[in-house]
Amino acid sequence: MKIQLSHNFENIICLENLLLAWQEFEKGKKNRKDVQEFSMKLMDNIFSLHCDLFNHTYEHGGYQAFKINDPKPRDIHKASVRDRLLHHAIYRILYPFFDKTFIADSYSCRNKKGTHKAIDKFREYAHIVSKNNIKTCWILKCDIKKFFANMDHQILLEILAEYIPDENIINLLENIIKSFTTKNKIYTGLPLGNLTSQLFVNIYMNKFDQFAKHKLKAKYYLRYADDFVFLSEDKSLLENQIPKIEKFLSNELKLELHPNKVFLKTLASGIDFLGMVNFSDYRILRTKTKRRIFKKNSQKHKLLREDLIFVESFSKSLQSYLGVLRHCEGFEIEKQLKKIFPTFFIKV
């Protein structure tokens, strides 16, 4: 018997939770037109949402679609402010509960986790498996094909129902989940723009995490979104796990491994994981990432000469990249950035 969520439907839709969700939602968004319009009649809008939820007449609206390059092209779907406010209200209640059910080595979209923690844990596991670089460390790295687009709504709802006894909460989550479907596929896919999608992804993939830990007995395994790695000194063990992984993903989650992104390599040969190429005792920035840093910042630098509004944005961008570089062997790249943009390094 799995642990059960103790909160009920009222805890999610109550005015107090909606108001607290608004405070969290509006941070960093106060200058956006749609947020300003909603906030002009804030209490009326929140009361209206609460009444629709209370009377079970709420229907999730549609999405505004646009593309970003991060770094590869991605389709983002943005819900209305009203719907996104509800996403935050749901997240406030569900995240603390579900986070306790996740394995320690799930690093995406979780408090006190993230890419840097994942890479540090990868290095820690590599040192343990290789006995501090004395033995060969084999790594099986996998990626799921069209992850967000292929998540099955019914499977997700069945997993949620295992933990949530309140049918009203399940019905509300179903309303949100089924508000979006992948092109040409009914009842599959989650929008990248929803806060709830971040949580649903981890709930969905937690089933695989538990399989990896308890059925495959993988001691050195970690996952970030749809990227995951297994580390072992036994190459054949990892080879034999591939068909088991494929079978579980297909049968239980209706997912499949990306055929071109399954690698079984030694640590010494370099493992490309979460934007960095990891070796036995150091890691370097992926070549594509390095090129993107210089290209993106050069483009922004040109805009600075035309519009001073970009100054703050450009400075923040440099700080972000410097943060990445300090987690790898990025000293030379940092030196090059300082030569190109000396003025801004005084500020950062």
Side-chain angles (χ1 to χ4, degrees), residues 60-61 63 75-77 148-149 153 174-183 185-192 194:
H60 196 287
Y63 293 87
D75 293 316
I76 303 296
H77 293 83
F148 272 84
H153 291 177
E174 182 175 8
N175 192 333
I176 294 169
I177 291 165
K178 291 187 176 179
S179 68
F180 177 86
T181 56
T182 306
K183 195 174 182 181
K185 284 189 177 183
I186 300 174
Y187 303 137
T188 60
L190 291 177
L192 278 168
N194 283 5

Side-chain angles (χ1 to χ4, degrees), residues 118-119 122 141 222-224 227-229 271-278 286:
I119 292 171
F122 176 90
K141 179 181 178 294
L222 59 93
R223 178 181 63 81
Y224 187 96
D227 287 343
F228 54 90
V229 290
I271 300 296
D272 189 334
F273 183 54
L274 300 181
M276 296 187 187
V277 183
N278 299 266
R286 185 190 291 162

Side-chain angles (χ1 to χ4, degrees), residues 60-278:
H60 196 287
Y63 293 87
Q64 176 189 350
F66 57 95
K67 293 183 181 291
I68 63 168
N69 291 295
D70 184 35
K72 61 184 180 182
R74 295 182 187 275
D75 293 316
I76 303 296
H77 293 83
K78 180 182 174 183
S80 68
V81 172
R82 187 176 197 255
D83 292 332
R84 282 147 61 204
L85 169 58
L86 177 60
H87 299 167
H88 275 260
I90 291 170
Y91 190 87
R92 292 191 76 255
I93 301 299
L94 296 191
Y95 173 80
F97 167 77
F98 276 104
D99 190 63
K100 295 173 185 176
T101 71
F102 301 151
I103 65 169
D105 287 327
S106 163
Y107 288 89
S108 176
C109 301
R110 294 180 66 190
N111 295 340
K112 299 180 181 179
K113 298 287 184 176
T115 53
H116 297 321
K117 291 283 180 68
I119 292 171
D120 288 343
K121 179 58 72 170
F122 176 90
R123 171 176 277 185
E124 179 186 327
Y125 280 167
H127 279 299
I128 293 171
V129 173
S130 66
K131 304 291 192 293
N132 290 327
N133 302 328
I134 294 174
K135 294 193 173 185
T136 300
C137 175
W138 287 94
I139 296 163
L140 172 63
K141 179 181 178 294
C142 304
D143 188 302
I144 294 173
K145 184 178 180 181
K146 295 182 179 178
F147 181 44
F148 272 84
N150 288 322
M151 291 183 64
D152 185 271
H153 291 177
Q154 192 56 42
I155 292 174
L156 175 57
L157 287 166
E158 287 171 3
I159 295 171
L160 288 166
E162 292 177 10
Y163 295 93
I164 302 174
D166 191 321
E167 288 188 13
N168 287 325
I169 295 179
I170 293 296
N171 291 337
L172 178 60
L173 297 180
E174 182 175 8
N175 192 333
I176 294 169
I177 291 165
K178 291 187 176 179
S179 68
F180 177 86
T181 56
T182 306
K183 195 174 182 181
N184 301 324
K185 284 189 177 183
I186 300 174
Y187 303 137
T188 60
L190 291 177
L192 278 168
N194 283 5
L195 176 64
T196 48
S197 294
Q198 298 178 9
L199 178 59
F200 291 153
V201 161
N202 278 332
I203 293 170
Y204 201 82
M205 285 302 291
N206 184 51
K207 197 161 186 178
F208 177 74
D209 294 338
Q210 301 298 334
F211 167 75
K213 287 290 187 180
H214 300 297
K215 297 296 182 181
L216 296 181
K217 306 293 183 184
K219 192 173 181 181
Y220 305 110
Y221 158 84
L222 59 93
R223 178 181 63 81
Y224 187 96
D226 61 328
D227 287 343
F228 54 90
V229 290
F230 294 81
L231 298 85
S232 175
E233 59 183 87
D234 188 341
K235 180 184 180 182
S236 62
L237 173 68
L238 296 179
E239 285 176 329
N240 292 333
Q241 284 181 342
I242 296 174
K244 295 176 184 177
I245 292 168
E246 290 176 325
K247 183 179 179 181
F248 182 88
L249 288 173
S250 176
N251 293 349
E252 300 294 328
L253 300 175
K254 292 188 180 179
L255 297 173
E256 60 179 301
L257 295 179
H258 196 300
N260 300 325
K261 295 183 179 180
V262 176
F263 302 102
L264 182 56
K265 299 171 63 178
T266 63
L267 180 64
S269 65
I271 300 296
D272 189 334
F273 183 54
L274 300 181
M276 296 187 187
V277 183
N278 299 266

Side-chain angles (χ1 to χ4, degrees), residues 314-340:
F314 184 71
S315 180
K316 287 180 180 178
S317 176
L318 279 179
Q319 288 183 30
S320 174
Y321 284 124
L322 286 173
V324 173
L325 293 173
R326 284 160 190 165
H327 284 268
C328 65
E329 304 297 319
F331 180 69
E332 289 300 320
I333 301 174
E334 186 174 335
K335 278 176 60 178
Q336 291 177 52
L337 285 170
K338 284 181 178 179
K339 285 182 181 178
I340 299 171

Side-chain angles (χ1 to χ4, degrees), residues 301-318:
H301 196 236
K302 289 177 183 177
L303 288 170
L304 286 170
R305 297 170 189 171
E306 303 168 14
D307 193 341
L308 292 176
I309 293 174
F310 283 91
V311 170
E312 185 178 354
S313 171
F314 184 71
S315 180
K316 287 180 180 178
S317 176
L318 279 179

